[in-house]
Amino acid sequence: MKKLLQKEYELMNEILNNPEKKSKCMNLEGFDGRVELKELFQIREMFHSNNIFKENIGGSSIEGNGINFEFIFNEKPFFMRIELDDYE
């Protein structure tokens, strides 16, 4: 995992393991453990490292059981969400 994402992962993991801090963290609202925090960060790294997205991603964040990405295409801002599929 890249250094910046590694630091953020460690911080989020610390918050996740502290009930008082977790209740105040909007990013972990809705996170229920069906997906591992590490998996979400691995997906983030995959998109940040991928040549197709690398130059266009403005940012990303963990939210609940998924990840939000902001990216630019044709000089327009777009939003993409990737989350655990509840379809069974």
Side-chain angles (χ1 to χ4, degrees):
M1 202 178 301
K2 289 186 178 182
K3 216 176 222 183
L4 183 61
L5 287 180
Q6 181 66 36
K7 277 185 152 185
E8 188 178 338
Y9 167 74
E10 290 168 5
L11 177 64
M12 293 286 285
N13 198 42
E14 179 184 321
I15 292 169
L16 183 63
N17 292 310
N18 182 324
E20 186 178 319
K21 287 183 178 180
K22 182 183 175 194
S23 68
K24 296 176 184 175
C25 181
M26 290 176 40
N27 292 76
L28 292 174
E29 200 172 293
F31 182 84
D32 61 15
R34 291 180 299 141
V35 62
E36 292 179 27
L37 188 60
K38 187 171 186 172
E39 291 174 307
L40 295 177
F41 274 87
Q42 288 171 331
I43 293 169
R44 277 179 79 186
E45 181 180 15
M46 180 178 65
F47 275 83
H48 280 280
S49 300
N50 188 305
N51 287 335
I52 295 170
F53 292 102
K54 190 176 186 177
E55 300 299 318
N56 297 321
I57 288 183
S60 64
S61 63
I62 301 293
E63 183 182 329
N65 289 328
I67 309 146
N68 299 327
F69 291 95
E70 296 173 355
F71 66 98
I72 305 296
F73 183 75
N74 286 341
E75 299 179 19
K76 296 178 187 120
F78 283 84
F79 175 84
M80 176 173 60
R81 172 127 176 104
I82 297 175
E83 64 184 355
L84 184 63
D85 189 356
D86 288 327
Y87 180 74
E88 292 183 25

